[in-house]
Amino acid sequence: MDLVTLDSLIERASDFPPLPMAVVDAGEAYVLEGAREATDAGLLQPVLLGRKPRIEKIAAEIGFSLAEVTLIDAGGEKESASKGVELVAEGQVHGLMKGWIHTDVLMHPVLKHLRTERRVSHVFLAELPAYPKLLYVTDAAINIAPDLKQKAAIVQNAVDLARLLGVPLPKVAALSALEIVKPEIASTIDAACLSKMAQRRQIHHAVVDGPLAFDNAISKDAARIKQIDSDVAGEVDILLAPDLNAGNILAKDLAYLAQATLAGIVVGAKVPIVLPSRSDPPKGRLASCAIAVLMHHLWEQFRRENETQGEPG
């Protein structure tokens, strides 16, 4: 199977029709530049929500023609978020993108009205010069201090996303500060339980090992030196952070110190949700939109195939 890269995801998504997506609180230059990039790439059909005069003014300043773009006037963050959720409920859009709005304000109506049977969580995809494949980092944006049950759901979300995007059997490292079970550190106990849950098929279609510290998750040499026998070490696809603080710091460390390009997506809601950052490069923004496109067009087929195999996705 060909190696999955951010460029390959963008190319793959371009084979599908543009995804109607509500850009929530779009009145900011960075937000509109991202929407324009994704529109020009044929990935999105944006619906811009926010203060109409401001959006029109900024769009004119950056040369973004709104002639074929739907623009809906909304008075502020909360109104924009509510209208975005309404558009999803009405079937007018099939995705949401965070604009100039706080994440918690956007997610409040999402969690109230767009939940599914799955837990809502966030996954970063990191492309690094120093690692041979994409790294999935979860959760760095939604779940603050997940317990064991919630971590299992977060892992399953990331596993299913990785499989959807072309990783047949994802390898998951449940991270902690060290690689032995130490009762005083709760994340080591959770990690060990997650490893056993995967062995017992409570987590499907993945190899999970933990607790693993970051060095022996990412490096076979580090694992060998510490005499760790692991099928995940040095070949990890998914890094499960013990909490949001650790996940967020890890993702930003990868971006700023290891030259990673990050793409990200919220999974588990009725539609994919993109939470871009001002610091995201164009490739990262496009890849995030591409992931949303692929989720929308491929998820139902993926789910049916998993049901046919007798295991939930």
Side-chain angles (χ1 to χ4, degrees):
M1 179 173 291
D2 293 337
L3 183 67
V4 180
T5 65
L6 296 185
D7 282 334
S8 73
L9 294 177
I10 294 169
E11 182 178 357
R12 188 176 167 197
S14 66
D15 292 335
F16 294 97
L19 181 68
M21 177 174 283
V23 182
V24 180
D25 200 8
E28 199 272 337
Y30 157 80
V31 175
L32 290 175
E33 286 170 355
R36 179 182 62 182
E37 291 164 357
T39 302
D40 291 345
L43 297 174
L44 296 188
Q45 179 185 330
V47 177
L48 306 179
L49 306 177
R51 291 183 172 87
K52 188 174 181 180
R54 178 173 175 78
I55 293 173
E56 291 174 333
K57 177 177 181 295
I58 295 172
E61 291 172 352
I62 66 172
F64 182 15
S65 173
L66 302 180
E68 298 183 5
V69 175
T70 301
L71 177 54
I72 298 177
D73 192 57
E77 285 189 345
K78 290 184 178 179
E79 186 177 349
S80 293
S82 295
K83 287 194 175 183
V85 170
E86 288 176 10
L87 291 174
V88 172
E90 294 167 358
Q92 296 187 48
V93 299
H94 302 300
L96 296 173
M97 179 187 290
K98 174 190 169 186
W100 199 242
I101 182 174
H102 290 90
T103 299
D104 59 338
V105 178
L106 171 61
M107 294 306 297
H108 180 75
V110 168
L111 294 175
K112 185 175 181 180
H113 300 291
L114 299 182
R115 283 186 180 272
T116 67
E117 73 281 359
R118 303 176 72 97
R119 185 162 193 86
V120 176
S121 61
H122 183 272
V123 185
F124 272 121
L125 281 70
E127 188 171 75
L128 298 112
Y131 197 71
K133 55 183 175 179
L134 293 178
L135 272 178
Y136 294 68
V137 179
T138 192
D139 182 338
I142 301 295
N143 293 277
I144 297 172
D147 59 22
L148 175 60
K149 182 178 179 181
Q150 293 163 351
K151 286 179 180 179
I154 291 167
V155 168
Q156 193 67 66
N157 277 349
V159 166
D160 289 345
L161 177 64
R163 293 182 62 234
L164 180 79
L165 299 180
V167 182
L169 185 67
K171 295 186 176 183
V172 183
L175 296 178
S176 186
L178 63 170
E179 59 281 343
I180 60 172
V181 175
K182 194 172 181 66
E184 296 87 347
I185 303 177
S187 60
T188 68
I189 299 174
D190 287 349
C193 290
L194 291 166
S195 178
K196 184 57 68 175
M197 289 171 74
Q199 291 179 7
R200 297 289 187 266
R201 298 189 179 182
Q202 291 175 271
I203 297 171
H204 302 291
H205 306 298
V207 178
V208 182
D209 195 11
L212 290 172
F214 179 79
D215 58 344
N216 43 65
I218 210 77
S219 167
K220 283 186 177 181
D221 287 340
R224 177 181 52 78
I225 292 168
K226 292 187 177 181
Q227 299 182 338
I228 299 169
D229 183 12
S230 172
D231 292 331
V232 171
E235 298 183 6
V236 65
D237 297 291
I238 298 169
L239 298 171
L240 172 71
D243 56 37
L244 184 144
N245 279 329
N248 194 273
I249 291 168
L250 172 58
K252 289 178 180 177
D253 279 351
L254 293 175
Y256 283 90
L257 295 179
Q259 292 77 52
T261 300
L262 297 181
I265 200 78
V266 175
V267 297
K270 290 183 179 178
V271 295
I273 303 168
V274 178
L275 303 180
S277 167
R278 288 182 63 90
S279 59
D280 289 344
K283 181 178 176 180
R285 295 196 294 248
L286 288 177
S288 298
C289 294
I291 295 165
V293 171
L294 294 171
M295 285 177 62
H296 172 72
H297 288 288
L298 300 178
W299 185 259
E300 282 305 311
Q301 177 185 347
F302 173 82
R303 185 182 62 81
R304 287 194 300 269
E305 289 174 352
N306 277 278
E307 286 178 350
T308 301
Q309 293 172 9
E311 295 183 339

